[in-house]
């Protein structure tokens, strides 16, 4: 039995949170396992209502060196090794999908490099947005579920930006809900799923298909997957009305900071000191209004540090501007 608790959110969200045989749900998953960890109950409930589920997988999940070294008992991982790991994760994903009642034909893959979604978005902007738009129009969803903008994994935050830009291209866009895997979201969810004991067991069985992700971080992955699934509506605009940015990075870091701006027209990255910024009255930073053409919406900014680091998670990440 489905245990669905829609919040008292906007009425428009209701259509996104009750499922029928006509529901067509498309999940944007940056990596193999996001479909199960964040959406395993949702998938089952849409399937139980007779609806269709599609998955668009952005990366092959192939950049996963420590679990790979452990499983394959080898230190060096070259291009062949990465391909082999991507193939392993693809097989795991198909098994997990089968356990959630989703056929293999429901999977569309973009084959971008793992940890490479941000660079696809920033350096091949139009092609990246077009590829996701095409995956959406191929499946014809009425609900798209994509990562939250504030997710600290760079592939996830950038997947949100891509999904928003892709949906903005469509004359009649499906509804959008978001999910958070890495990070906290304090808003009230539009949909919260606890799942029945049977659904929870099926989700655990699907997660166990992602063996490669459980060998070194099984506890963490199982904790993430065992939480209630929460899906958030995207407000009409999350942007600060004055173009203000939420960040005040310390001056000592300025030489290494990069500010990127992305909208329908393209993507630009500046060194912090060359970025189109001015100080606001309260000491924060605001984007200088561009001259000429009006700014396309939605529009997003990302602050990052151009220093190689083993830490993959975003410190500042994305905001809507
Ligand atoms: Zn992921």
């Amino acid at each position: 039995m489905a245990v669905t608790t829609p919040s008292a959110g906007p009425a428009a969200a209701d259509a996104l949170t009750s499922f029928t045989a006509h529901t067509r749900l498309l999940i944007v998953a940056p990596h193999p396992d996001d479909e199960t960890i964040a959406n395993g109950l949702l998938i089952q409930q849409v399937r139980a209502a007779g609806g269709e589920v599609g998955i668009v997988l952005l990366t092959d999940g192939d950049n996963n060196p420590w679990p790979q070294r452990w499983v394959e008992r080898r230190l060096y991982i070259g291009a062949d090794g990465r391909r082999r790991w991507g193939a392993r994760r693809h097989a795991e994903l198909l098994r997990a999908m089968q356990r959630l009642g989703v056929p293999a034909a429901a999977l569309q893959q973009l084959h971008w490099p793992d940890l490479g979604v941000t660079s696809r978005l920033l350096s091949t902007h139009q092609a990246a947005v077009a590829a996701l738009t095409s995956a959406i129009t191929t499946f014809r969803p009425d609900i798209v579920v994509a990562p939250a903008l504030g997710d600290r994994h760079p592939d996830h935050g950038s997947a949100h930006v891509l999904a928003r830009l892709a949906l903005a291209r469509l004359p009649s866009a499906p509804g959008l809900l978001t999910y958070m895997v890495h990070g906290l979201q304090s808003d009230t969810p539009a949909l919260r799923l606890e799942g029945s004991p049977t659904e929870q067991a099926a989700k655990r069985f699907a997660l166990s298909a992602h063996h490669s992700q459980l060998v070194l971080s099984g506890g963490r992955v199982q904790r993430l997957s065992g939480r209630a699934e929460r899906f958030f509506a995207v407000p009409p605009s999350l942007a600060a009305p004055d173009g203000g940015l939420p960040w005040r990075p310390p001056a000592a870091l300025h030489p290494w900071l990069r500010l990127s701006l992305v909208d329908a027209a393209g993507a630009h990255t500046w060194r912090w000191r060359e970025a189109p910024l001015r100080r606001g009255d309260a000491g924060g930073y605001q984007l200088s209004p561009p001259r000429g053409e009006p700014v396309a919406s939605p529009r997003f900014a990302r602050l990052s540090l151009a220093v190689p680091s083993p830490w993959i998670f975003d410190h500042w990440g994305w905001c809507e501007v």
Side-chain angles (χ1 to χ4, degrees):
M1 191 190 76
V3 181
T4 305
T5 318
S7 76
D14 290 353
L16 299 178
T17 56
S18 51
F19 312 124
T20 70
H22 300 293
T23 298
R24 297 185 64 81
L25 167 72
L26 181 67
I27 293 169
V28 177
H31 312 105
D33 75 6
D34 290 316
E35 82 299 331
T36 300
I37 290 174
N39 305 284
L41 301 173
L42 178 67
I43 290 172
Q44 293 181 68
Q45 295 195 4
V46 170
R47 295 294 291 133
E52 292 292 324
V53 175
I55 295 172
V56 53
L57 180 66
L58 304 188
T59 80
D60 292 341
D62 53 311
N63 187 1
N64 218 205
W66 287 106
Q68 184 168 5
R69 287 181 182 120
W70 179 265
V71 168
E72 297 188 348
R73 307 282 175 206
R74 71 171 73 221
L75 200 57
Y76 174 74
I77 298 163
D80 280 352
R82 281 186 59 154
R83 269 193 292 279
R84 189 170 59 244
W85 193 253
R88 173 192 287 262
R89 296 200 65 188
H90 178 243
E92 291 176 345
L93 172 61
L94 292 182
R95 207 168 300 130
M97 286 170 59
Q98 187 187 32
R99 292 175 182 182
L100 294 171
V102 181
L107 179 66
Q108 299 184 71
Q109 292 180 268
L110 300 190
H111 294 299
W112 293 342
D114 193 353
L115 271 177
V117 176
T118 307
S119 81
R120 284 286 159 135
L121 171 60
L122 296 180
S123 53
T124 60
H125 173 274
Q126 296 297 348
V129 178
L132 187 54
T133 308
S134 160
I136 294 170
T137 50
T138 298
F139 183 71
R140 293 178 291 103
D142 50 18
I143 308 172
V144 171
V145 170
L149 182 64
D151 193 303
R152 292 293 166 188
H153 191 301
D155 284 344
H156 283 236
S158 297
H160 177 99
V161 173
L162 275 160
R164 295 281 299 283
L165 295 174
L167 292 172
R169 283 188 172 195
L170 302 178
S172 132
L176 174 66
L177 292 173
T178 69
Y179 61 86
M180 173 71 80
V181 176
H182 316 275
L184 296 172
Q185 190 149 2
S186 54
D187 333 356
T188 305
L191 175 65
R192 186 175 189 279
L193 304 177
E194 295 282 353
S196 66
T198 309
E199 289 166 343
Q200 290 167 1
K203 180 173 176 174
R204 282 194 299 274
F205 186 45
L207 186 69
S208 70
H210 290 288
H211 178 71
S212 68
Q213 302 310 293
L214 298 171
V215 285
L216 290 189
S217 9
R220 185 181 64 86
V221 171
Q222 274 153 357
R223 252 192 324 279
L224 290 173
S225 182
R227 303 181 298 189
E229 292 179 7
R230 302 193 310 151
F231 301 92
F232 301 88
V234 177
S237 176
L238 294 166
D242 59 357
L245 298 178
W247 312 300
R248 293 191 187 190
L253 292 179
H254 288 186
W256 295 279
L257 291 176
R258 300 292 181 268
L259 182 75
S260 300
L261 275 183
V262 179
D263 60 23
H268 290 280
T269 298
W270 295 268
R271 293 171 187 276
W272 179 258
R273 286 179 178 146
E274 293 157 8
L277 295 173
R278 55 189 163 80
R279 295 309 288 264
D281 296 339
Y285 292 93
Q286 294 176 349
L287 287 169
S288 303
R291 287 173 225 107
E293 295 287 301
V295 171
S297 177
R299 194 175 196 222
F300 303 90
R302 179 175 193 262
L303 181 61
S304 61
L305 207 51
V307 175
S309 161
W311 179 252
I312 63 162
F313 291 97
D314 281 333
H315 178 68
W316 297 285
W318 289 98
C319 72
E320 191 166 350
V321 290

